Amino acid sequence: MVLLKARTILPGFGLSFGISLFSLSLLVLVPFAMLVYSTAGMGVQAFFDTINQPQVVAAILLTLKMSFLAVLTNLIFGTMIAWVLVRYQFWGRGLINAVVDLPFALPTAVTGIALATLYAPNGWLGRWFPFKIAFTSIGIWIALVVVSLPFIVRAVQPVLDDLSTELEEAAATLGARQWQIFYRVILPELLPALLMGAGMAFARATGEYGSVIFIAGNIPNVSEILPVIITAKLEMFDVAGASAVALFMLLISFVILFVFNLAQWFFSKRLGAKV
């Protein structure tokens, strides 16, 4: 305890730590514990029978697949947007910077309705495509790209802002080409931030509901995502089944976040060792 006080700069650590721990338990741990408790009553066999239903399996695979594709898309375009916002000065830069946060500010239902209006077969953009976008997996991918984009941009942007351009200039004077500068100088610095943003974006995408339900069509085994399965079971008063699917979804999110955080820790430690 003496060692803890010696390391504490600001007073009131015990009180603030206790309040923080209580808030975290009340807002996060207790609901998760109740979810586990609700599922435990149905038994292990019933739990796996619920998860192994063909409709649930198809929704799980579709949700993971579209979330993964959305994160890959945003890793490319989100990094590009962050690069433009940090490295270039142009008219309207502040407006674009504010638009990036628009998916955070808008209700997800508004985003879903807007996307469905745009990409429906008779929509402003959908009518010009020779294939169907709305009510297919492509529409789900677009919705997940929109809602998860800010996570990548906001994770990469401060790292790029702090990254000195002198390192790139030094590499250029030593004869490095542009792709070599990006691969050997810039990318190692961005990698921990990219992993952190990708983890949060993936977790958000797997649990997204409001913006997807309007454009997905919710066709079983075709365009039905996992959160829709949970809602459908609740509407049928199958609370245990909905809890089982929700718990499985929670476990998936925990595993994903653990893997991304472990990779981020590894690359951050490796980068720090080099420095």
Side-chain angles (χ1 to χ4, degrees), residues 13-221:
F13 170 77
L15 178 61
S16 58
F17 179 75
I19 295 175
S20 300
L21 190 61
F22 175 76
S23 302
L24 182 64
S25 301
L26 184 64
L27 298 176
V28 180
L29 298 181
V30 172
F32 289 164
M34 289 303 300
L35 182 62
V36 175
Y37 177 78
S38 301
T39 307
M42 65 186 305
V44 178
Q45 186 61 44
F47 173 80
F48 283 105
D49 289 342
T50 302
I51 299 302
N52 287 326
Q53 292 175 2
Q55 187 176 353
V56 176
V57 173
I60 292 172
L61 294 177
L62 179 64
T63 301
L64 294 178
K65 179 182 176 182
M66 292 299 105
S67 299
F68 181 73
L69 292 177
V71 171
L72 284 182
T73 304
N74 283 331
L75 281 174
I76 297 173
F77 292 101
T79 304
M80 189 180 302
I81 292 173
W83 179 275
V84 171
L85 291 175
V86 172
R87 293 302 178 90
Y88 300 102
Q89 299 292 333
F90 55 92
W91 184 87
R93 176 172 171 268
L95 178 61
I96 296 178
N97 192 37
V99 169
V100 170
D101 292 327
L102 200 57
F104 284 156
L106 285 178
T108 54
V110 175
T111 304
I113 293 174
L115 292 175
T117 303
L118 282 175
Y119 294 104
N122 58 345
W124 292 353
L125 297 179
R127 70 180 66 180
W128 303 106
F129 287 89
F131 51 87
K132 200 174 182 180
I133 295 180
F135 318 123
T136 65
S137 58
I138 301 176
I140 298 175
W141 168 72
I142 292 176
L144 296 183
V145 167
V146 172
V147 298
S148 61
L149 175 65
F151 291 98
I152 304 294
V153 178
R154 294 313 183 204
V156 174
Q157 193 172 357
V159 179
L160 279 175
D161 201 17
D162 293 336
L163 185 61
S164 176
T165 57
E166 295 177 356
L167 297 176
E168 303 168 40
E169 295 172 357
T173 57
L174 293 174
R177 298 180 180 179
Q178 291 184 350
W179 68 269
Q180 290 176 321
I181 295 175
F182 177 79
Y183 180 74
R184 295 183 178 274
V185 178
I186 300 176
L187 186 59
E189 297 283 346
L190 294 181
L191 199 53
L194 286 172
L195 289 171
M196 179 184 68
M200 293 189 297
F202 199 101
R204 169 65 187 272
T206 54
E208 181 60 26
Y209 175 78
S211 63
V212 178
I213 189 173
F214 293 99
I215 196 172
N218 309 315
I219 304 173
N221 300 321

